Amino acid sequence: MTGERRPLISGNWKMNHNHFEAIQAVQKLSYLLSANDYDAVDVSVHPPFTDMRSVQTVLQSDEIPVALGAQDCHWEAAGAFTGEVAPAMLAKLDVSLVIVGHSERRQLFGETDEVVNKKVKAVLAAGMTPIMCCGETLEEREAGTTEARVAGQVRAGLAGVPPEQVASLVVAYEPIWAIGTGRVATPEDAQAVCLGIRQVVRDDSGNAAADSVRIQYGGSVKPVSAPDLMRQPDIDGALVGGASLDPEEFARIIAYRLVG
Ligand code: 13P
C-alpha cells in the first residue's frame, strides 16, 4: 500500500447464505469489527441478490459502516432480460460496489471482455464502483503468458472509460488457479502482476489514474496469508471468497495490519 489509496477488503459470498444467514453474518461481523478497523480499511460484503434488501436494512438500521456490494449486474437500464438485475436497482438499495467479470462469470457463464466492458460502464453510469476482475488460468501461468493475458483483460475491460473514472474504480487480480483451491499466489508473484496492472493503467489512462486505482488480490486469501499480501506496494486490498463466509475469519483478515 502506498500513497492515498485506502485498503478495500471485500467479501464475495458467491452463491452462499440465504437471507437469514446473511443477516446473522453481517451482525456477527459488526460485533467483531471496531472503529479502528473502519478507520484503517474499507470493508464490503457481496451477498446474493436475494439477501440484499435484508442486509441493507441491517447495515442501515445498526449504522454499520460496511459497504454493500453486488456480485454482478446487467448492463442495460431496463427491459426484457429475464433473470437479470439492472444497475439502478442495485444503486437504489445503497449498493456501492459491483463485482464485474469474475472468472466464474467468464468461465461458467460465457462473459466476454466486451460484456465486462459494458458492465463496467453501466455500473459507473449508475454512480457505483466496479470491482473489475482479471486473472490467468494455470495453463496460461505455466506458458508464461500471465502478464499478457491480464493486461489484455484490463485493457479491454476499461476501454473507453475516462481516466477520472478509472481512478475511482477497483481492479481485482484473481489468478484462477488460486480461487477456492487453497493455493494462494506468493506475495511476490501477486505483487508483480498487480504492478503490471498498474502499468497498463498508467500507459492507457495516465499517472493520476494509475496512482489512484485500487488493486485487490483474490484467491484463497486467509488470515494467515493476508498480512504479507497486503504489505505489497501495489496490492491495495483483498477480494475474499470462502474465508468471508465465516465472520470470524473475515474479521481476522480485515485486521491484517495488526499481525507482525
Ligand atoms: P476464494 O477466496 O474462496 O479462493 O475465492 C476467491 C474469489 O473468487 C473471490 O472473488
Side-chain angles (χ1 to χ4, degrees), residues 12 14 102 104 174 178-181 218-222 239-243:
N12 176 9
K14 307 190 180 182
H102 190 280
E104 286 148 19
E174 298 204 306
I179 294 176
T181 59
S220 296
V221 175
K222 303 281 183 255
L239 184 52
V240 185

Side-chain angles (χ1 to χ4, degrees), residues 114-127:
E114 291 68 35
V115 164
V116 173
N117 181 241
K118 283 188 201 178
K119 290 186 176 186
V120 165
K121 289 173 175 164
V123 168
L124 287 165

Side-chain angles (χ1 to χ4, degrees), residues 39-62:
D39 280 349
V41 182
D42 290 340
V43 179
S44 66
V45 290
H46 300 249
F49 290 131
T50 51
D51 302 358
M52 224 151 240
R53 177 62 170 154
S54 307
V55 172
Q56 180 222 10
T57 305
V58 173
L59 294 178
Q60 207 168 53
S61 60
D62 295 356

Side-chain angles (χ1 to χ4, degrees), residues 97-233:
L97 294 151
V98 184
I99 297 170
V100 174
H102 190 280
S103 62
E104 286 148 19
R105 301 290 327 161
R106 294 178 189 259
Q107 290 201 312
L108 304 175
F109 302 98
E111 264 183 34
T112 61
D113 283 336
E114 291 68 35
V115 164
V116 173
N117 181 241
K118 283 188 201 178
K119 290 186 176 186
V120 165
K121 289 173 175 164
V123 168
L124 287 165
M128 300 179 291
T129 301
I131 298 180
M132 191 192 74
C133 300
C134 57
E136 81 286 5
T137 63
L138 187 57
E139 295 70 44
E140 287 163 344
R141 173 150 289 264
E142 285 171 349
T145 56
T146 296
E147 211 165 290
R149 176 77 181 124
V150 170
Q153 288 174 325
V154 172
R155 260 200 185 109
L158 300 181
V161 179
E164 57 279 10
Q165 288 195 321
V166 174
S168 73
L169 55 74
V170 182
V171 177
Y173 167 55
E174 298 204 306
I176 293 168
W177 48 269
I179 294 176
T181 59
R183 195 177 154 193
V184 63
T186 66
E188 295 73 26
D189 283 348
Q191 160 60 22
V193 179
C194 291
L195 175 65
I197 292 169
R198 203 176 299 285
Q199 191 57 47
V200 170
V201 173
R202 200 171 296 285
D203 294 344
D204 292 2
S205 305
N207 285 331
D211 292 339
S212 298
V213 67
R214 291 192 285 183
I215 304 176
Q216 295 178 315
Y217 167 81
S220 296
V221 175
K222 303 281 183 255
V224 68
S225 53
D228 281 344
L229 288 161
M230 292 298 297
R231 256 192 283 278
Q232 303 304 312

